[in-house]
């Protein structure tokens, strides 16, 4: 499966036989949703909480509105101040979230999805929750400063897609 192989390549903190401990939900197209994008106006930079002592500076780039499992959801999508200074990541957008699987089937602190500004077309974007992945902190504690999804990005629905708890 191409999703799994790309996740395994991206998780360089997990090496050797431990890579067999990655677990994923079966890919399900119902977790690929079209969201309405609303650009944030005059968003201020803020320190996003992390799992460590170093805060990460982000701003709300916009809000994504969609319906999943018969539930209307709005999530903030963020832009990193430090990544904007790197040409390879200038257009990177960050979607951290928790859902009703967090702490049960998936990592308690939440999961992430990466998008780009170019993914937004006609004020809409496709969010593929099948690509949701765990932060490095799910594998090695105390070594990384992983952003913690803000309260605004706690979804009142179970997302049975993407990466599960590392076994």
């Amino acid at each position: 499966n191409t999703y799994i192989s790309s996740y395994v390549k991206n998780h360089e903190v997990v090496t050797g036989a431990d890579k067999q401990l990655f677990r994923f939900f079966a890919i399900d197209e119902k977790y690929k949703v079209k969201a309405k994008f609303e650009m944030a106006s005059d968003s201020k930079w803020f320190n996003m909480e992390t799992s460590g002592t170093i805060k990460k500076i982000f701003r709300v780039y916009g809000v994504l509105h969609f319906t999943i499992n018969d539930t209307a959801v709005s999530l903030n999508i963020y832009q990193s101040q430090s990544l904007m200074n790197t040409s390879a990541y200038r257009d990177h957008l960050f979607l951290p979230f928790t859902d009703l699987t967090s702490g049960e089937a998936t990592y308690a602190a939440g999961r992430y999805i990466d998008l780009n500004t170019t993914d937004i077309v006609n004020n809409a974007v496709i969010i593929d929750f099948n690509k949701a992945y765990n932060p490095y902190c799910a594998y090695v504690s105390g070594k990384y400063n992983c952003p913690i999804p803000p309260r605004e990005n706690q979804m009142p629905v179970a997302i049975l897609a993407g990466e599960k708890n590392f076994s």
Side-chain angles (χ1 to χ4, degrees), residues 101-114:
T101 69
S102 300
E104 301 288 331
T106 63
Y107 186 54
R111 296 181 286 163
Y112 304 158
I113 293 177
D114 295 318

Side-chain angles (χ1 to χ4, degrees), residues 73-145:
V73 177
S74 293
L75 296 176
N76 288 339
I77 189 163
Y78 300 92
Q79 189 172 41
S80 165
Q81 189 178 57
S82 64
L83 289 182
M84 287 182 66
N85 298 321
T86 307
S87 61
Y89 296 103
R90 183 171 292 125
D91 294 326
H92 180 263
L93 297 174
F94 178 58
L95 182 60
F97 69 93
T98 58
D99 65 280
L100 295 181
T101 69
S102 300
E104 301 288 331
T106 63
Y107 186 54
R111 296 181 286 163
Y112 304 158
I113 293 177
D114 295 318
L115 295 165
N116 286 305
T117 58
T118 55
D119 294 327
I120 301 166
V121 179
N122 296 325
N123 293 319
V125 64
I126 301 297
I127 306 169
D128 189 349
F129 287 101
N130 293 292
K131 296 180 180 182
Y133 66 94
N134 291 334
Y136 286 162
C137 299
Y139 315 109
V140 180
S141 63
K143 185 175 180 182
Y144 297 98
N145 288 286

Side-chain angles (χ1 to χ4, degrees), residues 7-165:
Y7 289 152
V8 172
K9 288 176 189 174
N10 289 336
H11 292 332
E12 297 170 0
V13 296
V14 178
T15 59
D18 287 345
K19 287 188 176 184
Q20 296 174 9
L21 301 176
F22 286 111
R23 300 178 316 131
F24 302 87
F25 289 100
I27 293 175
D28 189 338
E29 288 297 311
K30 82 174 188 177
Y31 290 105
K32 188 175 183 180
V33 297
K34 185 174 184 177
K36 178 184 170 203
F37 172 75
E38 179 185 348
M39 185 77 165
S41 61
D42 195 32
S43 184
K44 307 285 187 237
W45 295 104
F46 71 97
N47 290 320
M48 187 178 288
E49 293 296 322
T50 69
S51 58
T53 58
I54 300 171
K55 308 285 187 264
K56 306 260 178 148
I57 301 173
F58 285 91
R59 70 176 171 191
V60 175
Y61 185 77
V63 182
L64 303 174
H65 305 280
F66 58 95
T67 299
I68 192 161
N69 293 341
D70 297 323
T71 303
V73 177
S74 293
L75 296 176
N76 288 339
I77 189 163
Y78 300 92
Q79 189 172 41
S80 165
Q81 189 178 57
S82 64
L83 289 182
M84 287 182 66
N85 298 321
T86 307
S87 61
Y89 296 103
R90 183 171 292 125
D91 294 326
H92 180 263
L93 297 174
F94 178 58
L95 182 60
F97 69 93
T98 58
D99 65 280
L100 295 181
T101 69
S102 300
E104 301 288 331
T106 63
Y107 186 54
R111 296 181 286 163
Y112 304 158
I113 293 177
D114 295 318
L115 295 165
N116 286 305
T117 58
T118 55
D119 294 327
I120 301 166
V121 179
N122 296 325
N123 293 319
V125 64
I126 301 297
I127 306 169
D128 189 349
F129 287 101
N130 293 292
K131 296 180 180 182
Y133 66 94
N134 291 334
Y136 286 162
C137 299
Y139 315 109
V140 180
S141 63
K143 185 175 180 182
Y144 297 98
N145 288 286
C146 301
I148 296 171
R151 185 173 319 238
E152 299 82 25
N153 279 23
Q154 294 178 355
M155 291 194 286
V157 64
I159 301 295
L160 303 173
E163 189 169 2
K164 293 181 178 181
N165 273 327

